[in-house]
């Protein structure tokens, strides 16, 4: 499909869900959040997007919606919007073609954090524990786990900025 319009919403979803999910996963780094954000992109686009729009128009609109959804996500998480979605990223990214130093950067970043901050981030984002499960593993209250996660994310963001500066 290039310049033609999609026949219905189901076709729009099926043709675009993979690249939207991969984009979100690449930005947030964990499956549960990527799935939630992908769903949010399509739910946000559902009402204003015309089914009669051409395929390139639909993809452009979904990309702009993804940028807005990501900005909101990062703004809520860290008080820092991340809205950069490179225009030259292919619509479909094959995982085996991506070479990344992200795992090394994450390891390095985590090593610079205090033990309790590192542990909460590992449990929440690397092992996909819920806040309640992570709190149980750490022997703290859920409220304490939320505070630890918030502070750990802020410290990690600041530490990451120092490294890239």
């Amino acid at each position: 499909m290039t310049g033609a319009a999609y026949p219905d919403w189901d076709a729009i979803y099926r043709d675009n869900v993979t690249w939207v999910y991969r984009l979100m996963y690449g930005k947030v780094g964990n499956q549960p959040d990527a799935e939630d954000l992908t769903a949010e992109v399509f739910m946000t686009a559902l009402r204003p997007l015309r089914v009669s729009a051409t395929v390139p128009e639909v993809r452009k609109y979904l990309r702009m919606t993804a940028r807005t959804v990501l900005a909101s996500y990062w703004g809520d998480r860290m008080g820092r919007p991340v809205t950069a979605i490179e225009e030259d990223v292919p619509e479909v990214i094959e995982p085996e073609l991506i070479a990344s130093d992200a795992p090394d950067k994450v390891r390095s970043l985590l090593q610079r954090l205090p033990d309790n901050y590192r542990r909460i981030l590992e449990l929440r984002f690397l092992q996909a524990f819920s806040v309640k499960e992570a709190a149980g593993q750490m022997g703290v209250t859920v409220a304490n786990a939320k505070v630890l996660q918030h502070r750990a994310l802020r410290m990690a963001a600041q530490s990451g900025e120092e490294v890239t500066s």
Side-chain angles (χ1 to χ4, degrees):
M1 294 186 158
T2 54
Y6 289 101
D8 55 25
W9 259 103
D10 189 49
I12 290 173
Y13 179 80
R14 280 181 301 162
D15 191 45
N16 294 287
V17 69
T18 302
W19 74 261
V20 171
Y21 171 79
R22 288 180 177 162
L23 176 68
M24 292 300 174
Y25 186 86
K27 294 293 182 183
V28 299
N30 69 74
Q31 182 179 354
D33 285 345
E35 289 172 357
D36 290 347
L37 292 170
T38 299
E40 189 175 338
V41 167
F42 283 97
M43 292 303 294
T44 302
L46 181 64
R47 185 167 252 138
L49 183 61
R50 301 178 333 264
V51 176
S52 61
T54 65
V55 172
E57 290 171 331
V58 168
R59 289 185 178 156
K60 182 176 181 178
Y61 188 79
L62 289 173
R63 185 173 294 279
M64 291 182 332
T65 304
R67 183 181 11 244
T68 302
V69 167
L70 275 170
S72 175
Y73 170 84
W74 285 116
D76 291 345
R77 293 277 178 159
M78 298 174 53
R80 177 178 171 209
V82 175
T83 58
I85 297 177
E86 296 77 18
E87 292 300 324
D88 61 342
V89 174
E91 298 299 331
V92 177
I93 303 168
E94 296 302 324
E96 61 273 3
L97 299 179
I98 299 173
S100 175
D101 62 346
D104 294 331
K105 287 181 180 178
V106 169
R107 262 190 297 283
S108 173
L109 185 65
L110 286 173
Q111 290 304 315
R112 289 192 299 272
L113 297 176
D115 290 343
N116 57 344
Y117 288 4
R118 179 175 45 254
R119 183 74 176 135
I120 191 70
L121 295 182
E122 287 172 345
L123 291 170
R124 290 286 289 129
F125 300 109
L126 299 180
Q127 296 180 26
F129 280 37
S130 69
V131 174
K132 185 176 180 180
E133 293 167 333
Q137 285 286 318
M138 293 181 71
V140 298
T141 66
V142 171
N144 191 340
K146 288 179 181 180
V147 169
L148 285 171
Q149 177 180 314
H150 176 75
R151 290 179 181 167
L153 287 170
R154 283 213 180 256
M155 183 177 277
Q158 290 169 346
S159 182
E161 286 175 356
E162 291 167 8
V163 169
T164 58
S165 298

